[in-house]
């Protein structure tokens, strides 16, 4: 279940995704929140520089592995504008992070990419729990997912103009 507090963090993720697009990246943003509700770290997609692994959820997993104890990681929640890809789901599980809440799902992204005529991804689209079955997952949020869809439309338009 996504509650009001979750929604606030997810709104921040959508803002970060918008910032990512403005900086020439893909529309994804994520926030790491501690077990007691403190925002620890924020990241957005940075693939525009040419490294396609620069996903915010991967950056969060590395940040958490370097700075948090295992019990702190397990108690933390990762909020993200779009459901983790398989690479990021694996990184999340390998470092022992806790719950994930997402604004839009991998299945939705696949539909949007098809609608927008975007190039297919080189990695199969799988849900977080197909990769990391023990991670508690909540999402999508219909209203926020619509905003994420609009960001993908903008990003695709920017690409086709380039
Ligand atoms: Zn990813």
């Amino acid at each position: 279940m996504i509650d009001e507090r979750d929604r606030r963090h997810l709104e921040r993720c959508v803002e970060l995704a918008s910032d990512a697009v403005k900086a020439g990246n893909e529309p994804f943003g994520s926030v790491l929140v501690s077990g007691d509700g403190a925002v620890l770290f924020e990241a957005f997609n940075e693939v525009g520089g040419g490294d396609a692994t620069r996903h915010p959820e991967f950056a969060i997993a590395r940040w958490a592995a370097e700075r948090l104890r295992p019990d702190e990681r397990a108690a933390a929640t990762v909020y993200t504008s779009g459901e983790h890809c398989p690479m990021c789901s694996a990184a999340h599980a390998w470092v022992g992070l806790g719950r994930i809440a997402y604004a839009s799902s991998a299945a939705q992204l696949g539909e949007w990419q098809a609608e927008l005529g975007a190039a297919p991804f080189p990695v199969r689209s799988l849900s977080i729990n197909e990769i990391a079955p023990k991670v508690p997952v909540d999402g999508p949020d219909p209203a926020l997912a619509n905003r994420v869809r609009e960001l993908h439309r903008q990003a695709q338009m920017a690409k086709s103009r380039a």
Side-chain angles (χ1 to χ4, degrees):
M1 269 293 292
I2 290 185
D3 65 18
E4 278 313 303
R5 192 171 63 168
D6 292 333
R7 203 164 280 116
R8 275 207 317 278
H9 292 303
L10 289 173
E11 282 181 4
R12 177 62 185 148
C13 294
V14 175
E15 282 175 20
L16 289 162
S18 176
D19 292 345
V21 175
K22 286 175 196 145
N25 302 293
E26 301 286 340
F28 298 93
S30 312
V31 176
L32 176 65
V33 176
S34 72
D36 52 15
V39 174
L40 299 175
F41 183 63
E42 297 182 336
F44 60 66
N45 177 288
E46 297 185 73
V47 303
D51 179 353
T53 70
R54 296 286 295 273
H55 297 186
E57 304 92 334
F58 201 8
I60 281 177
R62 287 216 163 114
W63 190 95
E66 284 169 15
R67 292 171 181 83
L68 302 181
R69 296 190 312 264
D71 61 306
E72 292 172 322
R73 286 179 234 156
T77 297
V78 174
Y79 292 92
T80 190
S81 63
E83 183 174 6
H84 288 42
C85 76
M87 172 182 75
C88 296
S89 297
H92 182 100
W94 278 120
V95 304
L97 279 163
R99 175 178 175 242
I100 295 172
Y102 56 77
S104 62
S105 70
Q108 287 175 314
L109 177 59
E111 290 167 21
W112 300 337
Q113 296 290 95
E115 283 170 19
L116 294 166
F121 294 131
V123 173
R124 185 183 292 178
S125 174
L126 296 170
S127 73
I128 292 164
N129 282 149
E130 286 176 276
I131 302 290
K134 290 180 185 160
V135 174
V137 175
D138 289 299
D141 178 86
L144 289 170
N146 272 335
R147 286 171 54 193
V148 175
R149 182 179 184 279
E150 174 57 21
L151 291 174
H152 281 282
R153 196 186 62 78
Q154 288 171 14
Q156 188 59 33
M157 279 171 53
K159 249 188 226 167
S160 52
R161 275 196 305 267

